Amino acid sequence: MVTVKDVAKAAGVSTATVSRVARNEDTVKPATRDAVLRVIKELNYQPNALARQMRTQSTRSVVVIVPDIGNTFFHEILVGIQTCAEENGYQTLIANMDNRQDIENRYFNALLQRQIDGVISLSANAAKSLMERIAKRYPIVVACQYLDNKRIPNITIDNLSAAKCMTEYLIGLGHRRIAHLTSDPEKLLYRDRLRGYFQALADHGIERDETIIRSGAPSFDGGFKQMNELLRLAEPVTAVFAAGDTMAIGAMKALQKAGKRIPEDVSVAGFDDIEFSSVFEPALTTIRQPRQWMGRSAMLKLIKLMNGHPLERMQDLLDYELIVRDSCGARRLSQ
């Protein structure tokens, strides 16, 4: 293997001069630069990236942990992260957690061993003690999932406010018997969306009915199963608000299979505005998150941390938008 010493000897210069040429510094005379570059080409010299890493203690690499790469919700977030990373000279490594906490923990432990410079986690499943231990030593940003830990930087929307907004929209259409489909109660994201739903009901004097609140997998199949449970109730619901678009679309498939019309018989609303939401029939009313900007904001915050710069705030709450489509309609109240 050709070393920097071999290049320096062949070019008749010092090893420091070879290093300056390799870094494209402008302190080297043009004639010397040309001579060194000619030798580098002739000897096929490759600067040792590992040695540079050991000297600088930087890999210029960050890991992005994704709960489920198959969920299209995360695609635009990743675009925002990768674009911002490339603009600032970083490479991103995507780790698909496949909804397994042990994989997320593995990458966090890799950060402790200094194999990467930082982590953006699109999940908040890792043990709090592990997250806190790493955050004390290395840069971590959690995006799109809310954390109650004020010491870990976080990019998200106000899930409680957004869920309340959606529920109030359904109430405004005349609905009073509104079901809610949710998932893991351990995740603050789902807890906040459930709380927003409860708050809207309370503000409008609608009694909470636990029998029309269903919990299951945050997937098409999960929504399909939850809706089938609701269809077996003696008193039908007139609207369904799902805490995720995949569950909402699964619920619509169950309703259609049961011969129910959407929105004439049952209105359906979701959360996240995944790509499929606008092309499904009927198109889904939902909450849109600024996903690409969320990813970019997370990467910018991580870059500040990796460069030792102070953060203006630990948590950024981004705006959301209520997207009204064909899946919701006014309820005809009995006279």
Side-chain angles (χ1 to χ4, degrees), residues 135-203:
K136 288 178 181 177
R137 295 176 56 188
Y138 300 115
I140 296 176
V141 174
V142 174
C144 82
Q145 295 212 24
Y146 172 71
L147 286 177
D148 58 359
N149 190 326
K150 303 298 184 183
R151 290 170 294 191
I152 298 177
N154 185 214
I155 308 280
T156 186
I157 65 167
D158 187 337
N159 284 282
L160 190 153
S161 174
K164 183 179 179 182
C165 173
M166 179 60 82
T167 308
E168 288 181 333
Y169 170 72
L170 293 171
I171 293 171
L173 293 176
H175 295 284
R176 293 297 180 270
R177 192 161 168 78
I178 304 169
H180 184 59
L181 309 186
T182 186
S183 189
D184 188 353
E186 294 300 314
K187 293 183 179 179
L188 282 171
L189 176 151
Y190 291 115
R191 270 189 276 165
D192 278 354
R193 292 177 188 178
L194 180 61
R195 287 171 58 206
Y197 162 79
F198 284 151
Q199 280 193 14
L201 296 180
D203 288 351

Side-chain angles (χ1 to χ4, degrees), residues 215-253:
S215 178
S219 62
F220 297 111
D221 188 55
F224 186 85
K225 290 178 178 177
Q226 291 176 65
M227 191 67 240
N228 278 328
E229 292 174 2
L230 291 170
L231 286 168
R232 288 193 287 269
L233 295 176
E235 184 181 356
V237 300
T238 66
V240 176
F241 168 36
D245 283 353
T246 53
M247 288 186 286
I249 294 171
M252 286 199 287
K253 288 296 292 183

Side-chain angles (χ1 to χ4, degrees), residues 4-21:
V4 66
K5 291 182 179 179
D6 296 327
V7 175
K9 182 177 180 181
V13 298
S14 68
T15 56
T17 298
V18 175
S19 296
R20 287 197 293 271
V21 171

Side-chain angles (χ1 to χ4, degrees), residues 11 94 151 293:
I94 308 301
R151 290 170 294 191
W293 179 245

Side-chain angles (χ1 to χ4, degrees), residues 88-130:
N88 289 275
Y90 288 89
Q91 64 175 339
T92 54
L93 311 173
I94 308 301
N96 181 23
M97 200 177 78
D98 198 24
N99 291 314
R100 286 173 51 193
Q101 183 175 324
D102 61 312
I103 295 179
E104 186 170 9
N105 291 347
R106 184 191 312 164
Y107 280 97
F108 280 160
N109 281 313
L111 183 60
L112 282 174
Q113 297 170 25
R114 203 52 167 150
Q115 296 171 9
I116 48 183
D117 289 349
V119 167
I120 296 176
S121 180
L122 307 185
S123 167
N125 283 340
K128 288 184 179 180
S129 58
L130 175 59

